[in-house]
Amino acid sequence: MKNKPRRQIAFVSLLGITQLHLRNPLIISWWSAAFPGFGHLLLSKYFRGFMLVGWEMVINSQMHLNEAIVYTFTGQFEQANEVLKIRWMGLYAPVYLFSIFDSYRTTVDMNHQYILAKRENAPIEPFKMGIMEINYLDKRSPWQAVVWSLLMPGMGQIYTHRIINAFFILGTWILFCYWSHFLEGIQYLLMWDLTRSASVIHMHWILFLPSIYGFAVYDAYVNTVEYNKLFDQEQAGMLQANYQNQQFPFPKSLLRK
């Protein structure tokens, strides 16, 4: 009797595809440094990622860290000291460093798990159907995922059927745009009313936007590429299991034809 594989290389569900594949630990830890929790979301560790993202938003807001960064970059060091709440800083640093460390460690461990799962070659279920949704493995264009993410963060994740990340990215993008008055600032900027544009912008929230925007583009592109590889792997496994071996001795009469 054939032993059941201990590890799955991928799991197709109605909300998306969770898969193991090789990742660069330095890139994952860099995303954790850019915004705690992002590295874990790239690893599909959603509970830990959402907890760290929520922690960053709450503690950063209470500490006024982003505002202090803006004042520091513009040379207004006295204002930076005034707005920064020191009593929150002791809570910020340990978790921030842990986020970077844990994402690096987890990436290394998951790379090892991928190598073992690749050797076991467990079958991949390519199709999942439910009352509310249908999901399946197929080929998608990574650059289309990038374009949709550039137009609106979260759309690239919907295109690749990463529903959990799509809700998260789209929701946080809308909230940060609303709280930062980003679109109002853009409108006044296009009207060449620079003073009013600068006055309506809330710099604390607007500093979150570049991280969300870059993460949405990167996540959509990388996972589309990996899903395409997974599709090829599943197709190759199906053909090897169900079609005739190339060493099969054909009758000579068929070979003459």
Side-chain angles (χ1 to χ4, degrees):
M1 183 178 67
K2 187 177 180 181
N3 292 330
K4 182 179 179 180
R6 297 180 62 195
R7 298 169 181 83
Q8 286 182 286
I9 203 168
F11 176 74
V12 179
S13 71
L14 297 179
L15 295 179
I17 302 171
T18 304
Q19 71 174 120
L20 293 172
H21 62 84
L22 293 178
R23 299 174 173 91
N24 188 330
L26 293 177
I27 293 178
I28 300 298
S29 59
W30 184 90
W31 277 110
S32 292
F35 203 114
F38 279 4
H40 292 84
L41 293 180
L42 289 171
L43 298 172
S44 297
K45 297 183 75 68
Y46 296 113
F47 289 120
R48 197 176 306 186
F50 292 150
M51 182 172 61
L52 289 170
V53 168
W55 166 87
E56 166 69 15
M57 293 172 60
V58 171
I59 303 300
N60 192 318
S61 300
Q62 295 297 323
M63 195 169 78
H64 298 277
L65 178 61
N66 285 350
E67 297 170 60
I69 291 174
V70 172
Y71 286 131
T72 301
F73 283 167
T74 56
Q76 304 177 65
F77 301 110
E78 293 184 2
Q79 290 87 336
N81 289 330
E82 290 177 3
V83 299
L84 192 64
K85 304 299 182 182
I86 303 299
R87 63 179 179 175
W88 290 98
M89 188 173 295
L91 297 175
Y92 187 86
V95 182
Y96 181 81
L97 295 176
F98 172 80
S99 174
I100 299 172
F101 160 78
D102 189 64
S103 63
Y104 183 94
R105 176 198 61 81
T106 304
T107 305
V108 173
D109 288 344
M110 291 181 66
N111 286 345
H112 294 160
Q113 295 296 326
Y114 167 77
I115 294 172
L116 295 172
K118 184 78 171 177
R119 291 173 62 90
E120 295 182 23
N121 196 27
I124 302 169
E125 184 179 0
F127 188 89
K128 183 71 69 172
M129 178 184 289
I131 297 175
M132 298 294 295
E133 190 59 85
I134 300 174
N135 190 20
Y136 49 87
L137 289 176
D138 69 337
K139 288 272 192 174
R140 294 182 172 93
S141 169
W143 293 111
Q144 288 187 24
V146 168
V147 169
W148 285 114
S149 294
L150 290 172
L151 292 174
M152 172 62 72
M155 295 297 99
Q157 281 67 30
I158 294 179
Y159 172 71
T160 57
H161 204 92
R162 289 175 61 80
I163 303 301
I164 297 176
N165 271 11
F167 270 110
F168 164 73
I169 294 173
L170 188 59
T172 52
W173 179 259
I174 293 172
L175 287 176
F176 289 157
C177 283
Y178 179 79
W179 290 336
S180 66
H181 300 272
F182 174 67
L183 297 181
E184 295 176 59
I186 293 294
Q187 180 178 349
Y188 291 131
L189 182 63
L190 294 175
M191 295 169 61
W192 209 245
D193 191 347
L194 304 182
T195 302
R196 193 171 183 182
S197 176
S199 64
V200 299
I201 291 294
H202 197 305
M203 294 307 300
H204 170 73
W205 294 109
I206 206 170
L207 284 191
F208 287 125
L209 293 180
S211 298
I212 295 286
Y213 198 72
F215 174 76
V217 174
Y218 178 81
D219 178 77
Y221 178 83
V222 168
N223 282 286
T224 306
V225 171
E226 295 300 331
Y227 289 165
N228 289 344
K229 293 179 183 178
L230 186 65
F231 174 85
D232 291 338
Q233 181 180 338
E234 192 278 330
Q235 287 286 298
M238 183 273 295
L239 294 173
Q240 291 173 2
N242 295 283
Y243 286 83
Q244 193 165 266
N245 190 288
Q246 61 181 351
Q247 301 300 326
F248 181 80
F250 283 91
K252 293 182 179 180
S253 59
L254 292 177
L255 291 175
R256 292 193 189 101
K257 294 180 181 180

